[in-house]
Each structure stands twice: as structure tokens, then as C-alpha cells.
Amino acid sequence: MTGIGKWQGNVNIQILRFSGDVFITIEDNNGEYAVDIKLPPQLEKVKLNFSSIEETGDNGLKGKGKLLTPAGRELNFEAGVEFDGDDMTGYLKIAIANIKIKNGHRIA
């Protein structure tokens, strides 16, 4: 399985005027990917629920699902990450933004 471990990266969300660290944990759950994403404190009440996660090539993962806002609104999202050894880059696409994850690295 690709990307198993704990990762940290940085996001800069211009439409919300802040930046911060994002933490991603990827685990093997009986052959299925289990992904937990901890967003910066300003977005801690936003929840990402994956409906599918698949491998892309030898070093990537792509997932789709629903983003739940604190106001109860659901937005479709697509997320992807690429791994290069202990480095990682990624993105999160929602209707109103394309957020890049930069300077990602393995932390465990």
C-alpha cells in the first residue's frame, strides 16, 4: 500500500486568509485505506468523509468524498497526494477552491 504513515504539510488558503499545517495519517484497514486528516485549528470543525480512495501510479493516492462544514453544508471534494520517499505534495479540490499541500514530509 502506498503512503502508509503520518505526514505533515502546509496549506495557504487565500480565500480564508490564513495558512497552517495539515496532518495526514494513512493506515491499512484490512486492505482498504483509512485516512485521517487533521486540518489547521481554524478549520478543526470541518470534516472530510471519503467515499473512495484509490492508488494512482506507483506513488500516489486519490480520493473523493464529502466535506461537511460547521454550518452543516456538504460539498463534494477530490483530494490527491504524491509521495517521493519521505516527501509529499497534495491538493484538495472543492467547488470554491483548489488548495495545495506544500512542503509535505513524513513524521512517523
Side-chain angles (χ1 to χ4, degrees):
M1 297 188 85
T2 301
I4 300 297
K6 294 184 181 186
W7 302 84
Q8 177 181 358
N10 186 268
V11 294
N12 182 357
I13 306 173
Q14 294 180 4
I15 61 171
L16 298 177
R17 296 189 176 133
F18 76 88
S19 63
D21 289 329
V22 60
F23 296 89
I24 303 168
T25 301
I26 303 171
E27 298 176 316
D28 177 355
N29 183 20
N30 296 319
E32 300 283 326
Y33 283 100
V35 176
D36 180 57
I37 299 176
K38 183 177 178 197
L39 299 171
Q42 300 93 324
L43 296 175
E44 67 185 11
K45 293 184 180 181
V46 171
K47 301 298 178 206
L48 297 169
N49 296 316
F50 286 90
S51 59
S52 68
I53 300 173
E54 61 186 40
E55 294 177 359
T56 56
D58 292 336
N59 299 314
L61 296 174
K62 182 177 178 181
K64 294 182 180 183
K66 300 277 185 187
L67 180 148
L68 183 61
T69 70
R73 185 171 174 208
E74 281 189 348
L75 301 170
N76 291 326
F77 77 84
E78 176 182 302
V81 288
E82 289 289 326
F83 304 99
D84 183 11
D86 287 336
D87 295 327
M88 182 249 332
T89 59
Y91 68 89
L92 173 70
K93 285 185 188 178
I94 54 175
I96 58 173
N98 184 9
I99 302 164
K100 294 182 180 179
I101 301 171
K102 297 180 180 179
N103 303 318
H105 58 279
R106 183 185 302 270
I107 56 175

